[in-house]
Amino acid sequence: TFLSWINKDKITLFRDLQLTGNSRFLLDYLASLYNDFGQDRISQEVFIIYIDMLHLSGQFIAAAEMIQDFLSKYDFDTIITSNILLHLYIRAIHHQMFYMPVKPLIDCMLNIETLVNKNKLPERYNEILFMLGGNLGVLQGNYQFCVKWLIKSLRFARNNGFPEIECRTLRKLADILRSRGHLMLAEQICIKGLDIARSKKYTRYEIYLMCSLGEIFRCKKSYVDALELFNKAEKLAIKQGI
């Protein structure tokens, strides 16, 4: 009865807390569920949120290994046609980028981009576009590659109504434009992302975007404004446990 209540009735609450980045509560609570009942008895949705909280707390290797163990029960064709399994597959690559060479991860993402049906799994397809431009390409330092995939990600997110991915994509675009010296355009894009994050209560992305905007102000030598943003972001991050 308790597990049914958790897996069905409380999943909306957990998702809301996930989008705010509330790892302080979720990490402890979901870890206790995972340890008490095991991977097979908590729902896949709850498992995904638990893995995300491990990511926010910096436990990248543990998160990737838990996903790989979970996915070992399925073949590749099953994974790339399942919304939940593909999401976990992509997240495992996201975790691995913090400690693995990036080139093989890019090759893996390019491979599944051609295989995933973007009409049947549009949100997962959008995740792949974002990963290529916003995360993996950045680590490789290939800015033309990044912009190409981020523009694809932004258009796809807007056309398909994925404000979370749109918000994340705008932040990465702003970072890249700032790094190339396009400060005015970077600031405009960053503010647009912040508007989405605040209107949708995506607190974790609000924190990231505040840091991005603060860095833009720092590059403009607007140090007082930059410091104010960094201080606000730090307080929010501490409050959320990120």
Side-chain angles (χ1 to χ4, degrees):
T1 301
F2 172 70
L3 281 176
S4 177
W5 177 73
I6 287 291
N7 289 329
K8 295 178 182 177
D9 295 348
K10 293 294 132 189
I11 191 65
T12 300
L13 171 63
F14 291 159
R15 285 196 189 112
D16 288 344
L17 292 172
Q18 179 189 21
L19 286 172
T20 68
N22 198 327
S23 61
R24 185 180 299 281
F25 164 74
L26 280 178
L27 186 59
D28 289 342
Y29 191 74
L30 298 184
S32 69
L33 286 178
Y34 183 83
N35 292 331
D36 289 346
F37 297 104
Q39 190 182 89
D40 294 332
R41 296 190 68 197
I42 62 173
S43 71
Q44 292 178 343
E45 290 85 355
V46 171
F47 178 66
I48 285 172
I49 295 171
Y50 174 42
I51 292 292
D52 194 31
M53 293 306 103
L54 288 173
H55 175 87
L56 283 187
S57 67
Q59 300 180 61
F60 308 119
I61 295 177
E65 289 179 348
M66 286 172 67
I67 292 176
Q68 289 166 336
D69 179 59
F70 180 84
L71 292 179
S72 65
K73 302 187 285 284
Y74 305 93
D75 61 46
F76 184 69
D77 288 340
T78 302
I79 290 170
I80 64 167
T81 55
S82 163
N83 192 51
I84 287 179
L85 297 181
L86 182 57
H87 176 66
L88 282 168
Y89 185 87
I90 295 167
R91 292 303 294 173
I93 292 174
H94 192 175
H95 306 318
Q96 289 175 56
M97 78 181 200
F98 291 95
Y99 61 92
M100 295 281 287
V102 72
K103 180 64 167 60
L105 301 180
I106 289 176
D107 292 341
C108 182
M109 279 285 102
L110 287 172
N111 180 50
I112 64 171
E113 189 269 335
T114 62
L115 297 173
V116 170
N117 189 318
K118 63 184 179 182
N119 296 316
K120 292 184 178 179
L121 299 171
E123 192 167 6
R124 300 292 78 82
Y125 182 74
N126 209 162
E127 271 190 299
I128 293 166
L129 300 179
F130 173 78
M131 276 289 296
L132 283 164
N135 288 326
L136 301 177
V138 173
L139 289 179
Q140 197 177 42
N142 188 334
Y143 293 104
Q144 287 183 329
F145 179 92
C146 291
V147 171
K148 168 190 168 183
W149 289 102
L150 284 172
I151 293 298
K152 286 186 176 184
S153 175
L154 185 61
R155 287 174 177 163
F156 197 87
R158 286 176 172 171
N159 290 338
N160 290 274
F162 299 138
E164 180 190 349
I165 302 180
E166 180 182 356
C167 186
R168 294 164 67 192
T169 302
L170 287 169
R171 173 219 166 187
K172 292 291 186 173
L173 269 174
D175 285 345
I176 288 170
L177 288 166
R178 187 261 311 153
S179 73
R180 311 308 285 175
H182 304 294
L183 300 183
M184 185 178 297
L185 183 56
E187 182 177 346
Q188 292 170 354
I189 288 174
C190 207
I191 290 171
K192 174 62 178 175
L194 266 173
D195 289 342
I196 296 172
R198 286 167 176 161
S199 67
K200 297 290 184 180
K201 295 183 170 58
Y202 299 156
T203 308
R204 62 191 289 182
Y205 302 126
E206 180 184 359
I207 292 167
Y208 303 158
L209 282 153
M210 286 169 68
C211 291
S212 293
L213 186 58
E215 185 67 357
I216 292 167
F217 286 155
R218 189 187 69 81
C219 290
K220 291 170 60 178
K221 302 189 188 306
S222 300
Y223 299 122
V224 173
D225 293 332
L227 187 59
E228 181 181 356
L229 273 171
F230 290 142
N231 285 332
K232 286 180 179 178
E234 182 185 30
K235 287 177 183 177
L236 264 181
I238 291 170
K239 181 180 178 182
Q240 300 299 107
I242 299 177

